[in-house]
Amino acid sequence: MTKAGHHHIFSILLPFIAFVALLSSCGSSRQGAGGQGSVQQDGTSALSRAYTSLAESYNNDWTTLSVPVNVSLKSPKRISASGTMTMTRGRDISISMRVLGIEVASLYITGDSVIALDKWHKYYLAESVESLLGGMPATVDNLQDMILGHIFLLGENPVTARDVKKFTFTPGTGDWFAAPRNKPRNIDYQFAVMNDDNRLAMLTATIGTRGPVTCTYGDYSASTPAGTVAGSVNVRVAGSKTAVEAALSLKMSKAKWNSSPARPVTIPRGYTRIEKSSLLKLIPSL
């Protein structure tokens, strides 16, 4: 591997950093307006009932999840690795990536910090969540729900059927759409839910004038301690000249629930810090 090879190791973790970055905003929340044709919540509409059914398919009482994961970065570079993702509900997300059985990269996200390690080249990335999110009160629950294919409200607890009035709904041909009424300043996001099986199909978010971030979901498992969860997430972050595309696959048949918590990541002695701005230069003009 070249001297700059640490960039390729960190590329494995870039999609997860993009997950966090997508939640960024500057300023307080604003009142979101329902789009044209939106179905207002009167508690009796068909989409209100569809939302209630969707929210009731989630179980927010799970405590931990450990699951084999494969990450493939498809663009602008191609690299893949397998490992394990461990999550403690509402507290942290830990990802350990391996190549030929050797841990080459790890990522640890809490409500306060994001730490990524390149163990082959002894580099690390460390950022406060506040720095990455620009003061946005996003939660670890939000990231966990994003990964598992659950709809969510930025900065709030996991959704339940009682949150129906916090959304506006719009019918569509193959999907119906849920948009939060209150959204952070400079960020717009909505969820597309499949009409046929009432599962999340896509999350789309737009930050300011930048291109959209999309997460598409599939390979659902219905009977887990967290309810219905997605087994695959495809992420695309659009840039002015290029795009980041990545695929995340969770092997839910091998998942271990409500057992061991995530293992914290600490920065070993002798590692050299990589600045966030340097890492993001991997993505020209993003």
Side-chain angles (χ1 to χ4, degrees):
M1 207 173 275
T2 66
K3 187 176 181 179
H6 66 276
H7 283 168
H8 295 278
I9 299 299
F10 276 129
S11 293
I12 299 173
L13 299 176
L14 196 61
F16 297 98
I17 297 172
F19 273 145
V20 179
L22 115 80
L23 299 178
S24 64
S25 73
C26 49
S28 60
S29 64
R30 61 177 172 83
Q31 185 70 18
Q36 186 176 11
S38 65
V39 179
Q40 300 303 315
Q41 299 317 306
D42 57 8
T44 60
S45 73
L47 294 185
S48 293
R49 294 191 296 271
Y51 166 83
T52 298
S53 176
L54 177 65
E56 289 178 346
S57 74
Y58 305 154
N59 181 357
N60 294 318
D61 293 332
W62 63 276
T63 57
T64 64
L65 166 63
S66 178
V67 61
V69 62
N70 178 269
V71 180
S72 299
L73 189 66
K74 299 180 178 180
S75 174
K77 302 179 183 294
R78 298 187 68 88
I79 187 169
S80 64
S82 298
T84 302
M85 178 168 62
T86 304
M87 300 192 291
T88 306
R89 185 54 159 162
R91 192 181 80 183
D92 54 33
I93 302 170
S94 176
I95 301 169
S96 172
M97 305 305 299
R98 295 178 178 273
V99 174
L100 300 177
I102 302 172
E103 185 177 58
V104 296
S106 61
L107 177 70
Y108 187 63
I109 302 173
T110 69
D112 299 317
S113 62
V114 178
I115 298 174
L117 299 180
D118 169 2
K119 293 194 171 183
W120 274 4
H121 303 88
K122 295 187 177 181
Y123 287 92
Y124 75 93
L125 173 77
E127 297 286 342
S128 70
V129 172
E130 182 178 2
S131 171
L132 270 177
L133 303 186
M136 168 67 184
T139 68
V140 172
D141 281 314
N142 291 156
L143 284 173
Q144 292 172 340
D145 286 335
M146 190 188 304
I147 292 170
L148 295 177
H150 290 184
I151 67 173
F152 56 88
L153 293 162
L154 285 176
E156 297 192 24
N157 292 327
V159 299
T160 69
R162 293 188 298 272
D163 293 315
V164 62
K165 292 186 178 181
K166 294 182 179 180
F167 292 89
T168 59
F169 301 137
T170 306
T173 302
D175 303 317
W176 59 271
F177 301 90
R181 291 181 179 274
N182 294 307
K183 303 173 187 176
R185 191 184 304 272
N186 296 326
I187 183 169
D188 186 43
Y189 67 108
Q190 73 168 1
F191 305 91
V193 182
M194 293 174 277
N195 279 326
D196 54 355
D197 59 9
N198 209 41
R199 292 173 177 173
L200 180 62
M202 180 182 294
L203 160 66
T204 303
T206 302
I207 307 168
T209 59
R210 298 174 63 181
V213 176
T214 59
C215 299
T216 56
Y217 298 89
D219 299 329
Y220 277 92
S221 299
S223 299
T224 79
T228 299
V229 298
S232 66
V233 187
N234 291 283
V235 185
R236 188 177 190 276
V237 185
S240 59
K241 294 182 180 180
T242 189
V244 185
E245 295 187 39
L248 170 67
S249 177
L250 307 176
K251 196 169 184 179
M252 285 299 177
S253 62
K254 300 291 185 180
K256 297 179 181 179
W257 295 88
N258 302 330
S259 55
S260 300
R263 178 172 55 89
V265 171
T266 57
I267 302 169
R269 292 186 178 217
Y271 276 51
T272 301
R273 183 171 184 174
I274 295 294
E275 298 295 331
K276 177 180 62 175
S277 58
S278 175
L279 177 62
L280 293 178
K281 287 179 181 178
L282 284 170
I283 316 302
S285 304
L286 186 62

